[in-house]
Amino acid sequence: MTHPSAHVVAHSWAPAVSEGRIEITRLDFDLAAPWSEADWDTLSAEERERALRFLRHEDRLRMISTRAVLRRLIGEKLGVDPAALRFDAGAYGKLGLAGTGVFFNVSHSGACALIAVSRHWEVGVDIERADRKVDVAGLSSIALTREEREGIDAAGFFERWVAKEAALKALGLGIAEKLQAFSVWPGQGDLYELRHAEAEWGDLRVARLAAPPGYAAALAWKTP
């Protein structure tokens, strides 16, 4: 396991539902701490420029720390210098490393981040701080199908939101276009049941992930 900076606590595990083929790392930040110079040195020039465009310190810290840990995790798997990695981006901004056989995805919100890495499947991950003051009705009208919206509360909304976002990220699709193209329902154990008519999505699976109090998180993967 890579060693993050002192202001980041890392928790790593392989969810049982993924048959050990996906590794999850959750990062818990001290958002008041300075970012690490070692993290900064690991980033590319473009990543540093992007980080400095954030106005708030906490946004810069999240981006710098998460990207540095991602680079170290993948660098360890490939046996290369993390700073030497050159990511490419898909049509909707999902990062990749063509030709390496390593699939990954990242999400961060509040004081947490999630990184999913797999050598087997395309993956998507999402974590959100579940703000109980959000306009559930308004957001649900955008993100959820009519059936999903019935009797929904804030906790239920965020569970479905992270499941949908993780699924679309695993597929490499844009979030806005497809949120209402499928619905998410409780399934067996941590797995969700997905209902949709998209034949090209193949064997897409989504599962609930353990998250700190006040957060919701999900993992998605697409098997060949």
Side-chain angles (χ1 to χ4, degrees):
M1 165 60 192
T2 188
H3 298 288
S5 305
H7 63 277
V8 181
V9 177
H11 315 263
S12 298
W13 74 101
V17 291
S18 73
E19 303 169 9
R21 296 186 177 188
I22 303 172
E23 298 172 16
I24 299 293
T25 299
R26 192 185 89 217
L27 307 177
D28 296 339
F29 303 115
D30 175 0
L31 294 175
W35 61 75
S36 154
E37 288 301 320
D39 286 353
W40 181 257
D41 290 343
T42 302
L43 305 188
S44 68
E46 186 277 332
E47 288 168 334
R48 295 174 192 169
E49 181 181 341
R50 179 184 167 200
L52 292 177
R53 287 201 294 266
F54 289 111
L55 299 179
R56 299 189 305 171
H57 171 78
E58 63 188 63
D59 294 326
R60 291 181 178 182
L61 176 69
R62 268 192 300 262
M63 188 271 173
I64 293 166
S65 301
T66 304
R67 189 60 62 88
V69 173
L70 172 66
R71 283 178 167 275
R72 293 187 186 110
L73 286 168
I74 297 175
E76 286 179 3
K77 287 193 174 298
L78 297 178
V80 301
D81 179 358
L85 295 171
R86 294 295 177 261
F87 299 122
D88 43 59
Y92 295 96
K94 183 182 180 183
L95 295 181
L97 278 169
T100 63
V102 175
F103 307 98
F104 59 92
N105 196 232
V106 170
S107 176
H108 45 69
S109 177
C112 296
L114 285 178
I115 301 172
V117 180
S118 176
R119 280 191 173 274
H120 304 274
W121 304 318
E122 288 282 1
V123 292
V125 70
D126 193 51
I127 186 167
E128 297 289 343
R129 185 168 52 189
D131 184 354
R132 296 303 196 268
K133 297 178 182 178
V134 299
D135 177 9
V136 171
L139 290 174
S140 295
S141 68
I142 299 170
L144 306 183
T145 63
R146 184 183 61 184
E147 292 76 16
E148 288 175 302
R149 292 197 295 268
E150 293 180 5
I152 198 75
D153 60 8
F157 168 78
F158 279 105
E159 281 211 5
R160 281 185 161 92
W161 173 267
V162 296
K164 289 192 169 200
E165 186 155 346
L168 294 173
K169 290 169 76 176
L171 293 166
L173 297 176
I175 301 301
E177 295 91 338
K178 292 291 187 178
L179 281 170
Q180 293 198 28
F182 67 112
S183 58
V184 176
W185 301 91
Q188 294 185 344
D190 289 330
L191 282 172
Y192 290 107
E193 177 189 345
L194 304 184
R195 300 176 189 173
H196 61 82
E198 307 283 342
E200 67 272 20
W201 288 7
D203 191 6
L204 175 66
R205 303 182 190 183
V206 184
R208 180 185 297 106
L209 284 181
Y215 288 79
L219 166 70
W221 63 99
K222 185 178 184 298
T223 61

